[in-house]
Amino acid sequence: MADQQTRGQQQAQPTEAIKSLLPQQGPSKSQVLAVVTLFPVGGALLCLAGLTLVGTLIGLAVATPVFLLFSPVLVPAALTIALAVTGFLTSGAFGITALSSLSWMINYMRRMRGTAGEQMEHAKRRVQETAGQMGQKTGQKIQETQRTL
């Protein structure tokens, strides 16, 4: 009897653990409305996807013999078109790379000129200030030496 009670308690514990994982409340009205609205839309889209797949398979079944008959013409034409498209895309990528590199170089040179000009102006001002200070000090030294004489 005690053995049956412990078994009942052991079985109750897993259900309690599972219940603790579930939300305490049911879904809200907006969640129910979203599911009710989106479920038919998802079903319709799934049906359209299935119809598209069936249409594609039928088209492939019809077109396969035609591809086999015209393959000596189609394969070289497809390779030529693929190589041409690859060439155009590559040349475009190289062109964009070249333009962006030139743009970067021009902006870099403009910044360097602006920086160099600003540095030169700053250096000129410092030289002028230093020359003015040295002139004042020299004038003061001359006046001091004249007073002592």
Side-chain angles (χ1 to χ4, degrees), residues 25-38:
Q25 299 176 353
S28 66
K29 290 180 183 178
S30 62
Q31 290 173 336
V32 171
L33 185 63
V35 168
V36 168
T37 305
L38 293 177

Side-chain angles (χ1 to χ4, degrees), residues 25-112:
Q25 299 176 353
S28 66
K29 290 180 183 178
S30 62
Q31 290 173 336
V32 171
L33 185 63
V35 168
V36 168
T37 305
L38 293 177
F39 189 73
V41 172
L45 290 175
L46 187 61
C47 287
L48 286 175
L51 288 174
T52 305
L53 176 64
V54 169
T56 303
L57 291 175
I58 291 172
L60 187 60
V62 170
T64 301
V66 176
F67 284 145
L68 288 176
L69 289 175
F70 293 109
S71 65
V73 175
L74 292 177
V75 171
L79 286 175
T80 304
I81 290 171
L83 288 174
V85 167
T86 303
F88 282 122
L89 291 176
T90 304
S91 69
F94 286 155
I96 289 173
T97 303
L99 287 175
S100 64
S101 297
L102 286 173
S103 172
W104 180 84
M105 286 173 53
I106 288 170
N107 287 333
Y108 180 77
M109 295 302 261
R110 284 182 182 165
R111 279 184 278 157
M112 288 304 291

Side-chain angles (χ1 to χ4, degrees), residues 91-149:
S91 69
F94 286 155
I96 289 173
T97 303
L99 287 175
S100 64
S101 297
L102 286 173
S103 172
W104 180 84
M105 286 173 53
I106 288 170
N107 287 333
Y108 180 77
M109 295 302 261
R110 284 182 182 165
R111 279 184 278 157
M112 288 304 291
R113 275 194 198 147
T115 304
E118 291 172 7
Q119 288 177 349
M120 189 63 96
E121 290 296 322
H122 183 66
K124 284 181 185 178
R125 273 189 255 123
R126 288 191 61 190
V127 167
Q128 289 173 351
E129 289 172 3
T130 305
Q133 289 174 355
M134 294 304 281
Q136 288 175 355
K137 286 183 182 178
T138 307
Q140 289 174 357
K141 291 286 183 182
I142 291 173
Q143 288 177 358
E144 287 177 7
T145 54
Q146 287 178 352
R147 287 187 195 153
T148 55
L149 289 173

